[in-house]
Amino acid sequence: MIFQDPMTSLDPLFRIGTQITEVLRRHLGMGRRQARQRAIELLELVDIGAPEKRLDQFPGELSGGMRQRVMIAAALACEPELLIADEPTTALDVTIQAQILELLAGLQERLKLSVIMITHDLGVIAQMCHRVAVMYAGRIAEVGLAEDVFENPVHPYTQGLLRATPRPDEVVERMVAIDGMPPNLIAPPSGCAFAARCRSARECCGLPPELTPCGDDRLVSCWCAGQQQPG
């Protein structure tokens, strides 16, 4: 897993080499010398120059982009089949974001990885993801191929997100916001969590909808999408 925010996820008291080789020694049983050599190879894999030097540096001596690459290297250390990237571009400027996304795409292809990308950035989703699950209040609202979800959103929350997203091909005076506030998850509503903010809410939305098929390779959790009838 690549944890969120590279600026705080690495321990500032330990050198880069220690933090990567710990993974290799604990989980793969490597000796100190073997683990260090593998750590150098991992830093080379994520395009960090002078990897031998970087291993002996502390996180505070590296830029945000380099720290993110170190975290990717540590995540790949045990050769996983699945990589979970939690907001992998948080706290990075736009240029570095693009480099990290390009790196992840290249690693996915080269290492035959499956990647779960967790992000609120719709631009990143459109660029990186083949399949999308839109979540609201801790539950999945809609699932489908990325191009289908962007071109024809079914759930009212997904529709609201896309309406509120700036587009370079459209000039509008004001963005359309989603009214209301997210629910209190300590005491969540008994029915649809989005009902209080939904323009299409009906009486049946007081019952919790289930995630059910809606068209080809699509799932949606909404009474108002026409795929369910409350029983």
Side-chain angles (χ1 to χ4, degrees):
M1 181 171 181
I2 306 170
F3 293 98
Q4 186 174 352
D5 192 358
M7 306 306 287
T8 59
S9 294
L10 292 171
D11 193 320
L13 301 180
F14 291 90
R15 299 179 191 276
I16 297 301
T18 301
Q19 299 189 56
I20 297 178
T21 57
E22 180 183 20
V23 177
L24 298 166
R25 300 184 69 189
R26 177 177 294 273
H27 294 288
L28 300 183
M30 290 185 179
R32 188 182 302 273
R33 181 176 299 178
Q34 184 184 11
R36 182 176 175 85
Q37 182 57 42
R38 177 57 178 159
I40 292 173
E41 295 172 358
L42 288 166
L43 292 185
E44 291 175 341
L45 180 65
V46 297
D47 297 331
I48 288 184
E52 298 92 340
K53 176 183 176 182
R54 303 305 178 196
L55 288 179
D56 295 324
Q57 291 182 310
F58 291 94
E61 299 179 76
L62 305 183
S63 66
M66 292 182 69
R67 292 191 213 184
Q68 188 65 287
R69 291 172 188 267
V70 168
M71 292 176 60
I72 295 172
L76 296 174
C78 294
E79 300 182 2
E81 296 181 0
L82 173 65
L83 182 66
I84 302 174
D86 182 10
E87 296 281 8
T89 57
T90 295
L92 302 177
D93 64 51
V94 176
T95 302
I96 302 301
Q97 284 185 24
Q99 293 176 4
I100 294 299
L101 293 176
E102 183 179 357
L103 173 64
L104 286 174
L107 290 171
Q108 180 186 19
E109 179 68 23
R110 197 181 334 166
L111 303 177
K112 306 303 179 185
L113 285 171
S114 294
V115 178
I116 295 178
M117 181 83 66
I118 303 170
T119 181
H120 64 274
D121 191 325
L122 296 182
V124 169
I125 294 171
Q127 177 182 345
M128 294 289 294
C129 300
H130 301 96
R131 190 170 176 81
V132 178
V134 180
M135 297 188 70
Y136 182 80
R139 298 189 63 182
I140 293 178
E142 180 172 355
V143 181
L145 296 176
E147 58 185 20
D148 293 339
V149 171
F150 276 90
E151 292 177 5
N152 183 29
V154 178
H155 196 282
Y157 176 59
T158 311
Q159 295 169 356
L161 284 178
L162 293 175
R163 281 197 302 266
T165 302
R167 295 183 51 170
D169 58 339
E170 292 183 2
V171 178
V172 296
E173 292 185 2
R174 185 170 182 173
M175 303 306 301
V176 180
I178 300 176
D179 296 332
M181 297 291 291
N184 180 2
L185 296 186
I186 296 177
S190 57
C192 174
F194 190 64
R197 308 177 70 186
C198 181
R199 300 176 180 180
S200 304
R202 305 181 305 203
E203 184 177 350
C204 61
C205 297
L207 299 173
E210 296 182 357
L211 195 64
T212 57
C214 179
D216 295 335
D217 202 23
R218 296 289 293 276
L219 297 171
V220 64
S221 177
C222 178
W223 298 118
C224 303
Q227 90 292 354
Q228 298 188 56
Q229 295 295 326

